Amino acid sequence: MMKLSERVLSANESQTLAINAKAKAMKAQGIDVVSLSTGEPDFPTPQVVKDAAIKAINDNFTYYTEGNGIPELRKAIAEKFMKENGLPDVKPENVLVSTGGKHSIFNVLLAMCNEGDEVLMNAPYWVSYPAMIQICGAKPIIVETTLENRFKMTPAQLEAALTPKTKCVILNSPSNPTGTMYTPDEIKTLAKVLEKHECFILSDELYEKISFGSVQHFSIGSIPEIADRVITVNGVSKAYSMTGWRIGYMTGPAALMKEAAKVQGQSTSNPNSIAQKAALAALLHTAEDVERMRKEFARRREMVAKLFSAIPGVDFLMPDGAFYMFVDISKALQSMRVKTSFEFCQEALDKHHLAVVPGEAFGAPGCVRFSFAASDETLQKGIARFAEAIKALS
Ligand SMILES: Cc1ncc(COP(=O)(O)O)c(C=O)c1O
């Protein structure tokens, strides 16, 4: 066998996708699996978005578009960034539309990373960051956080982790998997530390539209002292229940966006033409749909928090945003037959037919991520199975 890419070999495959695949295969065999492992809203895409896509097809909007995205969509995104996020002076030519936020992040990491560069993030982190960084030849540097500190990195921790090799710091608020959010003041204090250190800051704001009022969403790219080094990433997947449409977008320093557009131009070309028209409708015409979905997530958050509170030996963070409950089972594990959250999740799927993601996938062993993007009935059934699994293994 010829030698394969060390950069790719060193990266993990997406554990969330792997668990979903196993749960789907079990369902196909007729097993009644409750899946709380997916990272996507369970609502239909808003009608006005579907209509825009159907119109695009009927209008024969089915050819290659501008490689970086259609001008009217980039204009709407630039306006959104300025109006909603306070980013200074975003030009449509500095916006890059890609095939999902994941693609945006990958494009920009490829455009900035050199062999040996360090990219810093806190754990628990979104599954894909370390793998993407490794594929780009750079090194993920992980800052550990605790439930007591609501899984947030402190300015002192950030300061201690920065080195001359730090090329980029990734922030993700609201966070997947924990749902934690940095307050505006916390972001300002982190920015103070970053002011003294020449590096990029990648702000992943995919869950911006889903928050529950405890913390106000704040974009680090709005802070003038560092704004020229910030990449702000967003997308339509979570905000408008459009995961399958695959549209993400970002803005950042002009020279960096130009190179990220080059990466995209030489790999996937433009994002899907029809989905771009759909994304434009989503940005312009769905405020009421977004609010309806947000309220529904808020209601479910209260419901699942009550259910988890009733289970002995588990601890969890009341999320500020997103649609995940990050549950700490480390105390319960001490008296269990299985010793890790990874083994626990395997048993939960094999014996109790519950699909959830182990904390190991997010760099946080001892925890389990539950998605509450599911019906009340599914959530109740799933959490009951979780309680059963804990009892059976204790
Ligand atoms: C934190 C975070 N960033 C980015 C993404 C990418 O989403 P998409 O590629 O669907 O836009 C996800 C999706 O799970 C996510 O959770």
Side-chain angles (χ1 to χ4, degrees):
M1 177 74 172
M2 247 157 346
K3 201 162 171 230
L4 302 183
S5 158
E6 271 163 22
R7 280 177 291 110
V8 177
L9 289 172
S10 69
N12 289 326
E13 68 167 317
S14 166
Q15 285 193 38
T16 42
L17 293 184
I19 287 164
N20 289 339
K22 185 167 176 194
K24 273 197 180 131
M26 287 171 72
K27 275 184 197 165
Q29 288 168 21
I31 301 171
D32 165 36
V33 176
V34 173
S35 184
L36 299 179
S37 61
T38 49
E40 58 184 349
D42 55 321
F43 306 108
T45 295
Q47 191 58 44
V48 41
V49 175
K50 293 182 189 170
D51 291 343
I54 292 164
K55 183 170 184 309
I57 295 175
N58 288 330
D59 289 349
N60 298 311
F61 195 73
T62 52
Y63 300 96
Y64 292 134
T65 72
E66 290 80 352
N68 56 351
I70 54 176
E72 60 269 42
L73 178 56
R74 282 184 287 112
K75 180 166 172 277
I77 292 166
E79 276 163 13
K80 177 247 181 287
F81 275 143
M82 289 189 285
K83 198 169 121 229
E84 295 184 2
N85 305 104
L87 305 194
D89 194 27
V90 182
K91 299 209 166 46
E93 57 266 34
N94 287 340
V95 169
L96 178 60
V97 185
S98 303
T99 304
K102 192 180 245 180
H103 189 212
S104 302
I105 297 168
F106 201 50
N107 281 332
V108 81
L109 287 174
L110 268 176
M112 73 165 73
C113 287
N114 285 310
E115 207 72 35
D117 281 351
E118 296 179 348
V119 180
L120 204 152
M121 77 202 76
N122 72 280
Y125 47 71
W126 179 45
V127 275
S128 295
Y129 300 139
M132 287 185 185
I133 292 161
Q134 281 165 321
I135 292 172
C136 293
K139 191 171 167 209
I141 302 292
I142 313 295
V143 174
E144 302 293 339
T145 63
T146 59
L147 184 100
E148 291 68 44
N149 198 36
R150 299 190 65 78
F151 296 117
K152 290 191 261 199
M153 172 164 62
T154 65
Q157 282 183 307
L158 173 62
E159 182 118 50
L162 287 165
T163 77
K165 287 190 186 158
T166 310
K167 179 55 77 67
C168 182
V169 174
I170 301 182
L171 294 177
N172 173 217
S173 175
S175 147
N176 173 10
T178 64
T180 200
M181 283 174 79
Y182 287 98
T183 66
D185 279 345
E186 285 167 344
I187 291 184
K188 286 174 195 160
T189 340
L190 292 176
K192 275 264 165 254
V193 175
L194 291 164
E195 253 181 55
K196 295 175 283 178
H197 192 97
E198 189 64 31
C199 64
F200 291 116
I201 299 132
L202 191 160
S203 181
D204 178 340
E205 305 184 5
L206 261 284
Y207 293 91
E208 171 190 17
K209 299 279 181 193
I210 307 168
S211 67
F212 309 116
S214 45
V215 176
Q216 185 205 334
H217 177 80
F218 185 78
S219 295
I220 192 162
S222 68
I223 299 176
E225 288 79 3
I226 52 162
D228 62 347
R229 295 191 263 133
V230 176
I231 303 111
T232 306
V233 184
N234 213 320
V236 302
S237 287
K238 320 286 173 174
Y240 312 107
S241 200
M242 290 177 67
T243 44
W245 297 78
R246 310 307 303 128
I247 295 289
Y249 55 82
M250 64 181 164
T251 191
L256 180 62
M257 288 301 106
K258 189 164 163 255
E259 298 309 311
K262 190 203 283 177
V263 173
Q264 170 159 309
Q266 295 293 18
S267 53
T268 58
S269 299
N270 61 272
N272 178 297
S273 61
I274 299 150
Q276 289 189 70
K277 286 285 191 185
L280 179 62
L283 279 164
L284 298 180
H285 305 301
T286 57
E288 278 174 26
D289 299 282
V290 169
E291 184 54 11
R292 179 178 43 77
M293 293 190 270
R294 193 195 66 79
K295 279 199 176 127
E296 179 58 14
F297 282 132
R299 190 190 62 75
R300 289 180 194 166
R301 178 184 78 136
E302 300 294 335
M303 184 189 88
V304 296
K306 267 204 196 103
L307 295 172
F308 282 118
S309 302
I311 306 173
V314 306
D315 216 351
F316 63 90
L317 181 85
M318 191 64 165
D320 303 307
F323 40 74
Y324 307 105
M325 279 280 172
F326 206 58
V327 180
D328 184 345
I329 62 164
S330 48
K331 277 193 216 111
L333 276 173
Q334 286 168 6
S335 56
M336 272 194 217
R337 193 153 54 64
V338 293
K339 287 291 158 237
T340 65
S341 44
F342 182 76
E343 291 169 299
F344 174 85
C345 289
Q346 279 185 322
E347 285 274 320
L349 183 53
D350 293 340
K351 306 261 169 60
H352 302 273
H353 303 157
L354 168 68
V356 280
V357 189
E360 282 87 344
F362 314 100
C367 297
V368 178
R369 189 194 76 174
F370 290 75
S371 161
F372 54 89
S375 70
D376 286 9
E377 195 200 341
T378 306
L379 289 167
Q380 283 155 5
K381 211 160 131 185
I383 297 168
R385 287 184 188 186
F386 170 63
E388 260 171 42
I390 295 222
K391 218 167 158 193
L393 288 166
S394 293

